[in-house]
Amino acid sequence: MPATLAFSLKQARRLALAAQGFNGRQPPTVKAPQLNRLIERLGLLQIDSVNAVVRSHYLPLFSRLGSYSADLLDQAAWSSGRRRTLFEYWGHEASLLPLAMYPLMGWRMQRARNGRDIYQQLAKFGLEQQSVVRRVLSAVEERGALGAGSLSTREDKAGQWWDWSAEKHALEWLFAAGEVTVAGRRGFERLYDLPERVIPSSILQQALPDEAQAQRGLLLHAAQALGVGTEKDLRDYFRLNPSDARPRLAELVEDGQLQTCEVTGWRQIAYCLPEPKVPRKVVASALLSPFDSLIWERSRTERLFDFRYRLEIYTPQDKRVYGYYVLPFLHNERIAARVDLRAERASGRLAVHAVHEEVPGLDEEGMLALALNLRQMADWLRLARVQLNCQRESAARLRVALAQIEGA
């Protein structure tokens, strides 16, 4: 067994940033192959319904590739034929994953059928309401891609998002169990169909790995996507249970597919791929989605970047510290600031409601980089201007930087 490697915190940070696709090189024109390669590298994109700036699954690609057509991701996720390269499933929460990873989710689908590793309310429904489940599945078989709304038999309108109809419960159970998949979306509503009408036969006909093989595959992909991480970091990437992840990690180390390592300041042992190559530096600036895979695991974000981050969407306004929809700003190996943003589409503005610099603050070059990222995001979203609604000193500096960018 190779000796345990040791990394400084800076080296770990550079490993992580490089693994996550932050190399500072953005192509002048983004085409489908580049987009697909990046998603394969990351392993998945988390889907979230909040549309304060743009839906979350679009942002990680912009953060790494720069301006691209969102149609490329829509085609990869929800078109038919060869352009479709992704599928929806429970990866890290609801996610878009490369089609090649579909067999690695078979064990999770089987567990869902057995009422394991699934939301308790949904497991109970699947156990007790099989007549509804079979009726809904028959409707999908006969009619093709369907949304829950077209099947609902309830007379009253649904309330909050968790106030699902019986048919929605049935579809979600079938989705978790792999008996239906997402064929497309109508607005943000899922349209469900049979896997054989959505997933290529070349994928469906592959022999499924057993649980241990699939879990090892997911942990290896997590190690590749994270660069370096603790057991908790690696298992969180695809939401594996500790009881599954720990023996699989031991097997991967024993087999030489993973190597143990130490990171300065980390209490837990970490893991990385054999013979990792640490970049000499990472030069990249990017506004990050709250659901970006670089910062999913909040304790890891604190260990790597000394940056404590919490989403405050569900925090009462008077108790928020930084704002409603706050995007961290990555600049040259630091998360150097956070910006509360809103896309005000009706008025054609990208509104900056608050700017908070970390300590130490952004220098002139860093503030210009933030201004450029905001201007590029506004252009990508087809918003005519960036509007600063913040009265903090940081915003005053940002206003000067924006004027320089826009006057250049």
Side-chain angles (χ1 to χ4, degrees), residues 161-224:
W161 67 268
W162 61 86
D163 186 17
W164 288 351
S165 67
E167 290 77 13
K168 174 63 173 174
H169 274 96
L171 283 167
E172 287 298 322
W173 185 89
L174 289 163
F175 173 62
E179 295 194 39
V180 301
T181 192
V182 177
R185 283 185 178 259
R186 182 169 48 224
F188 201 66
E189 180 189 19
R190 283 174 173 161
L191 301 177
Y192 304 83
D193 206 344
L194 302 180
E196 54 265 36
R197 296 201 285 242
V198 176
I199 308 297
S201 58
S202 59
I203 300 291
L204 293 177
Q205 290 169 5
Q206 291 181 23
L208 292 181
D210 63 29
E211 283 197 3
Q213 290 173 320
Q215 290 160 3
R216 285 194 293 269
L218 292 173
L219 287 167
L220 276 175
H221 207 116
Q224 174 185 301

Side-chain angles (χ1 to χ4, degrees), residues 179-379:
E179 295 194 39
V180 301
T181 192
V182 177
R185 283 185 178 259
R186 182 169 48 224
F188 201 66
E189 180 189 19
R190 283 174 173 161
L191 301 177
Y192 304 83
D193 206 344
L194 302 180
E196 54 265 36
R197 296 201 285 242
V198 176
I199 308 297
S201 58
S202 59
I203 300 291
L204 293 177
Q205 290 169 5
Q206 291 181 23
L208 292 181
D210 63 29
E211 283 197 3
Q213 290 173 320
Q215 290 160 3
R216 285 194 293 269
L218 292 173
L219 287 167
L220 276 175
H221 207 116
Q224 174 185 301
L226 290 175
V228 60
T230 65
E231 175 264 333
K232 183 181 179 183
D233 298 339
L234 296 183
R235 66 175 160 84
D236 178 74
Y237 205 80
F238 290 101
R239 290 291 203 245
L240 299 179
N241 295 326
S243 59
D244 291 320
R246 288 168 184 163
R248 302 295 86 81
L249 282 173
E251 292 160 7
L252 288 166
V253 172
E254 180 68 24
D255 195 44
Q257 295 185 72
L258 282 183
Q259 185 168 354
T260 57
C261 55
E262 296 175 352
V263 177
T264 302
W266 290 17
R267 295 180 181 178
Q268 301 88 359
I269 196 74
Y271 302 84
C272 63
L273 297 179
E275 301 181 7
K277 296 181 180 179
V278 182
R280 295 182 62 183
K281 63 179 179 178
V282 176
V283 180
S285 296
L287 289 159
L288 304 175
S289 161
F291 306 100
D292 194 294
S293 49
L294 178 68
I295 56 172
W296 271 338
E297 219 300 301
R298 303 309 196 204
S299 66
R300 170 185 166 83
T301 304
E302 292 184 38
R303 277 183 277 116
L304 265 181
F305 297 103
D306 191 24
F307 182 81
R308 188 179 189 278
Y309 181 56
R310 299 293 184 273
L311 192 59
E312 297 181 285
I313 289 175
Y314 303 111
T315 303
Q317 185 172 354
D318 61 337
K319 295 184 179 179
R320 290 178 192 144
V321 178
Y322 296 107
Y324 174 76
Y325 199 73
V326 175
L327 275 61
F329 177 57
L330 170 70
H331 180 63
N332 293 351
E333 303 179 12
R334 290 180 59 220
I335 297 182
R338 51 189 103 202
V339 188
D340 184 17
L341 286 180
R342 219 82 75 246
E344 297 179 349
R345 296 170 181 84
S347 53
R349 297 181 302 214
L350 181 63
V352 180
H353 292 300
V355 182
H356 302 270
E357 295 178 74
E358 295 296 292
V359 177
L362 289 165
D363 59 16
E364 182 179 355
E365 185 267 339
M367 193 60 78
L368 283 169
L370 175 56
L372 181 60
N373 271 264
L374 289 167
R375 182 63 263 169
Q376 290 173 338
M377 178 176 282
D379 291 342

